[in-house]
Short mmCIF file of all heavy atoms in Angstrom, two decimals:
data_model
loop_
_atom_site.label_atom_id
_atom_site.label_comp_id
_atom_site.label_asym_id
_atom_site.label_seq_id
_atom_site.Cartn_x
_atom_site.Cartn_y
_atom_site.Cartn_z
N PRO A 9 -5.09 -38.59 -102.23
CA PRO A 9 -4.34 -39.59 -101.48
C PRO A 9 -2.88 -38.93 -101.18
O PRO A 9 -2.29 -38.28 -101.94
CB PRO A 9 -4.10 -40.73 -102.49
CG PRO A 9 -4.57 -40.14 -103.80
CD PRO A 9 -5.44 -38.92 -103.65
N ARG A 10 -2.48 -39.14 -99.85
CA ARG A 10 -1.22 -38.61 -99.46
C ARG A 10 -0.17 -39.47 -100.06
O ARG A 10 -0.18 -40.62 -99.94
CB ARG A 10 -1.12 -38.62 -97.94
CG ARG A 10 -1.98 -37.49 -97.37
CD ARG A 10 -1.70 -37.57 -95.90
NE ARG A 10 -0.50 -37.17 -95.49
CZ ARG A 10 0.04 -37.02 -94.21
NH1 ARG A 10 -0.89 -37.16 -93.29
NH2 ARG A 10 1.25 -36.71 -93.96
N GLY A 11 0.98 -38.82 -100.72
CA GLY A 11 2.01 -39.60 -101.17
C GLY A 11 1.82 -40.36 -102.35
O GLY A 11 2.64 -41.16 -102.82
N GLY A 12 0.58 -40.22 -102.98
CA GLY A 12 0.35 -40.99 -104.29
C GLY A 12 1.24 -40.71 -105.33
O GLY A 12 1.77 -41.58 -106.09
N ARG A 14 4.26 -39.50 -105.14
CA ARG A 14 5.66 -39.97 -104.85
C ARG A 14 5.75 -41.45 -105.10
O ARG A 14 6.75 -42.06 -105.54
CB ARG A 14 6.01 -39.70 -103.33
CG ARG A 14 6.59 -38.26 -103.20
CD ARG A 14 6.88 -37.84 -101.71
NE ARG A 14 5.56 -37.75 -101.04
CZ ARG A 14 5.52 -37.60 -99.68
NH1 ARG A 14 6.56 -37.73 -98.91
NH2 ARG A 14 4.34 -37.39 -99.20
N ILE A 15 4.73 -42.18 -104.70
CA ILE A 15 4.72 -43.56 -104.94
C ILE A 15 4.77 -43.85 -106.43
O ILE A 15 5.56 -44.79 -106.88
CB ILE A 15 3.45 -44.27 -104.31
CG1 ILE A 15 3.52 -44.29 -102.76
CG2 ILE A 15 3.29 -45.70 -104.71
CD1 ILE A 15 2.23 -44.58 -101.99
N ILE A 17 5.94 -41.99 -108.83
CA ILE A 17 7.20 -41.59 -109.42
C ILE A 17 8.32 -42.68 -108.93
O ILE A 17 9.07 -43.10 -109.78
CB ILE A 17 7.58 -40.23 -109.11
CG1 ILE A 17 6.76 -39.17 -109.71
CG2 ILE A 17 8.98 -39.86 -109.54
CD1 ILE A 17 6.91 -37.79 -109.23
N GLY A 18 8.24 -43.03 -107.69
CA GLY A 18 9.15 -44.00 -107.23
C GLY A 18 9.11 -45.28 -107.83
O GLY A 18 10.12 -45.88 -108.23
N LEU A 21 10.52 -44.95 -111.35
CA LEU A 21 11.98 -44.88 -111.31
C LEU A 21 12.61 -46.24 -111.12
O LEU A 21 13.65 -46.63 -111.68
CB LEU A 21 12.45 -43.92 -110.27
CG LEU A 21 12.37 -42.41 -110.54
CD1 LEU A 21 12.71 -41.54 -109.48
CD2 LEU A 21 13.08 -42.11 -111.89
N LEU A 22 11.94 -47.05 -110.16
CA LEU A 22 12.41 -48.38 -109.96
C LEU A 22 12.31 -49.27 -111.28
O LEU A 22 13.26 -50.01 -111.58
CB LEU A 22 11.74 -49.11 -108.85
CG LEU A 22 12.22 -48.61 -107.47
CD1 LEU A 22 11.22 -49.31 -106.32
CD2 LEU A 22 13.59 -49.12 -107.05
N SER A 25 15.06 -48.20 -113.54
CA SER A 25 16.36 -48.67 -113.01
C SER A 25 16.46 -50.04 -113.47
O SER A 25 17.59 -50.50 -113.92
CB SER A 25 16.34 -48.50 -111.53
OG SER A 25 17.39 -49.36 -111.02
N LEU A 28 17.22 -50.19 -117.14
CA LEU A 28 18.43 -49.78 -117.60
C LEU A 28 19.39 -50.83 -117.17
O LEU A 28 20.51 -51.01 -117.90
CB LEU A 28 18.87 -48.46 -116.64
CG LEU A 28 18.23 -47.18 -117.26
CD1 LEU A 28 18.38 -45.96 -116.24
CD2 LEU A 28 18.83 -46.78 -118.62
N PHE A 29 19.33 -51.56 -116.01
CA PHE A 29 20.22 -52.54 -115.64
C PHE A 29 20.19 -53.70 -116.54
O PHE A 29 21.26 -54.13 -117.01
CB PHE A 29 19.85 -53.05 -114.24
CG PHE A 29 20.85 -53.99 -113.55
CD1 PHE A 29 22.00 -53.54 -113.09
CD2 PHE A 29 20.53 -55.38 -113.58
CE1 PHE A 29 22.93 -54.40 -112.62
CE2 PHE A 29 21.55 -56.29 -113.16
CZ PHE A 29 22.73 -55.81 -112.63
N ALA A 32 22.10 -52.89 -119.63
CA ALA A 32 23.57 -52.87 -119.48
C ALA A 32 24.07 -54.23 -119.36
O ALA A 32 25.15 -54.55 -119.85
CB ALA A 32 23.90 -52.06 -118.21
N ALA A 33 23.30 -55.18 -118.77
CA ALA A 33 23.87 -56.45 -118.31
C ALA A 33 23.25 -57.68 -119.09
O ALA A 33 23.87 -58.69 -119.30
CB ALA A 33 23.73 -56.68 -116.85
N ARG A 65 -8.70 -46.88 -104.19
CA ARG A 65 -9.04 -47.13 -102.72
C ARG A 65 -9.44 -45.83 -102.06
O ARG A 65 -8.85 -44.85 -102.24
CB ARG A 65 -7.82 -47.78 -102.05
CG ARG A 65 -7.60 -49.15 -102.29
CD ARG A 65 -6.74 -49.78 -101.38
NE ARG A 65 -5.39 -49.03 -101.29
CZ ARG A 65 -4.46 -49.26 -100.32
NH1 ARG A 65 -4.72 -50.16 -99.42
NH2 ARG A 65 -3.45 -48.62 -100.35
N ARG A 67 -9.94 -44.10 -98.42
CA ARG A 67 -9.49 -44.37 -97.06
C ARG A 67 -10.14 -43.38 -96.13
O ARG A 67 -10.87 -42.64 -96.40
CB ARG A 67 -7.93 -44.08 -97.13
CG ARG A 67 -7.16 -44.92 -98.00
CD ARG A 67 -5.67 -44.69 -97.84
NE ARG A 67 -5.38 -43.27 -97.97
CZ ARG A 67 -5.31 -42.78 -99.04
NH1 ARG A 67 -5.56 -43.34 -100.18
NH2 ARG A 67 -4.98 -41.41 -99.08
N ALA B 35 26.80 -47.02 -117.52
CA ALA B 35 25.67 -47.95 -117.79
C ALA B 35 25.32 -48.64 -116.60
O ALA B 35 24.11 -49.10 -116.52
CB ALA B 35 26.16 -49.11 -118.80
N TYR B 36 26.12 -48.84 -115.46
CA TYR B 36 25.75 -49.47 -114.33
C TYR B 36 25.39 -48.40 -113.28
O TYR B 36 24.56 -48.65 -112.30
CB TYR B 36 26.78 -50.32 -113.73
CG TYR B 36 26.96 -51.69 -114.52
CD1 TYR B 36 27.85 -51.83 -115.61
CD2 TYR B 36 26.06 -52.78 -114.36
CE1 TYR B 36 27.85 -53.03 -116.37
CE2 TYR B 36 26.10 -53.89 -115.06
CZ TYR B 36 27.05 -54.04 -115.98
OH TYR B 36 27.16 -55.14 -116.80
N PRO B 39 21.43 -46.93 -113.44
CA PRO B 39 20.36 -47.68 -112.90
C PRO B 39 20.46 -47.67 -111.43
O PRO B 39 19.40 -47.70 -110.64
CB PRO B 39 20.47 -49.13 -113.47
CG PRO B 39 21.72 -49.17 -114.23
CD PRO B 39 22.13 -47.81 -114.53
N VAL B 42 19.21 -44.14 -110.30
CA VAL B 42 17.74 -44.11 -110.46
C VAL B 42 17.00 -44.88 -109.57
O VAL B 42 15.87 -44.52 -108.93
CB VAL B 42 17.39 -44.41 -112.02
CG1 VAL B 42 15.92 -44.55 -112.27
CG2 VAL B 42 17.95 -43.33 -112.88
N GLY B 43 17.45 -46.21 -109.31
CA GLY B 43 16.88 -47.17 -108.44
C GLY B 43 16.83 -46.64 -107.01
O GLY B 43 15.76 -46.69 -106.35
N LEU B 45 16.98 -43.52 -105.95
CA LEU B 45 15.98 -42.31 -105.88
C LEU B 45 14.60 -42.98 -105.88
O LEU B 45 13.80 -42.41 -105.12
CB LEU B 45 16.18 -41.47 -107.13
CG LEU B 45 15.43 -40.11 -107.10
CD1 LEU B 45 15.82 -39.31 -105.83
CD2 LEU B 45 15.71 -39.38 -108.36
N GLY B 46 14.28 -43.95 -106.72
CA GLY B 46 12.98 -44.51 -106.76
C GLY B 46 12.64 -45.15 -105.47
O GLY B 46 11.57 -44.93 -105.00
N ALA B 47 13.45 -45.89 -104.91
CA ALA B 47 13.27 -46.59 -103.62
C ALA B 47 13.06 -45.59 -102.49
O ALA B 47 11.98 -45.75 -101.62
CB ALA B 47 14.40 -47.47 -103.24
N LEU B 49 11.71 -42.52 -102.88
CA LEU B 49 10.46 -41.86 -103.14
C LEU B 49 9.41 -42.84 -102.75
O LEU B 49 8.33 -42.43 -102.14
CB LEU B 49 10.46 -41.42 -104.56
CG LEU B 49 11.02 -40.14 -104.95
CD1 LEU B 49 11.06 -39.96 -106.44
CD2 LEU B 49 10.31 -38.89 -104.29
N LEU B 50 9.58 -44.05 -103.09
CA LEU B 50 8.54 -45.10 -102.95
C LEU B 50 8.28 -45.30 -101.29
O LEU B 50 7.09 -45.20 -100.86
CB LEU B 50 8.88 -46.44 -103.44
CG LEU B 50 7.83 -47.56 -103.58
CD1 LEU B 50 6.66 -47.02 -104.33
CD2 LEU B 50 8.49 -48.75 -104.06
N SER B 52 9.04 -43.04 -99.10
CA SER B 52 8.48 -41.87 -98.51
C SER B 52 6.98 -41.77 -98.69
O SER B 52 6.13 -41.36 -97.85
CB SER B 52 9.24 -40.69 -99.03
OG SER B 52 8.41 -39.74 -99.54
N GLY B 53 6.59 -42.11 -100.03
CA GLY B 53 5.18 -42.06 -100.30
C GLY B 53 4.41 -43.15 -99.48
O GLY B 53 3.33 -42.76 -99.00
N LEU B 54 4.94 -44.28 -99.34
CA LEU B 54 4.19 -45.36 -98.64
C LEU B 54 4.15 -45.03 -97.09
O LEU B 54 3.11 -45.27 -96.53
CB LEU B 54 4.91 -46.71 -98.69
CG LEU B 54 4.79 -47.45 -99.95
CD1 LEU B 54 5.72 -48.57 -100.12
CD2 LEU B 54 3.33 -47.68 -100.33
N GLY B 56 4.12 -41.88 -95.87
CA GLY B 56 3.12 -40.80 -95.73
C GLY B 56 1.70 -41.25 -95.85
O GLY B 56 0.86 -40.89 -95.11
N ARG B 57 1.53 -42.34 -96.73
CA ARG B 57 0.18 -42.91 -96.86
C ARG B 57 -0.28 -43.59 -95.52
O ARG B 57 -1.34 -43.44 -95.03
CB ARG B 57 0.13 -43.87 -98.03
CG ARG B 57 -1.19 -44.58 -98.15
CD ARG B 57 -1.19 -45.28 -99.48
NE ARG B 57 -1.41 -44.44 -100.54
CZ ARG B 57 -1.79 -44.83 -101.82
NH1 ARG B 57 -1.99 -46.02 -102.03
NH2 ARG B 57 -1.99 -43.94 -102.79
N GLY B 60 -1.22 -41.03 -93.08
CA GLY B 60 -2.43 -40.40 -93.41
C GLY B 60 -3.49 -41.34 -93.01
O GLY B 60 -4.62 -40.84 -92.52
N ARG B 61 -3.39 -42.62 -93.08
CA ARG B 61 -4.37 -43.54 -92.71
C ARG B 61 -4.56 -43.56 -91.13
O ARG B 61 -5.73 -43.62 -90.57
CB ARG B 61 -3.95 -45.05 -93.07
CG ARG B 61 -5.12 -45.96 -92.98
CD ARG B 61 -4.62 -47.30 -93.59
NE ARG B 61 -4.36 -47.13 -94.98
CZ ARG B 61 -3.55 -47.91 -95.63
NH1 ARG B 61 -2.71 -48.76 -94.86
NH2 ARG B 61 -3.22 -47.71 -96.84
#
Side-chain angles (χ1 to χ4, degrees):
Chain A
R10 284 183 67 176
R14 273 177 289 168
I15 290 173
I17 295 173
L21 286 177
L22 278 177
S25 158
L28 284 171
F29 187 76
R65 281 197 305 172
R67 293 187 311 283
Chain B
Y36 287 97
V42 171
L45 188 60
L49 278 173
L50 190 64
S52 128
L54 287 174
R57 177 170 285 194
R61 191 175 297 148

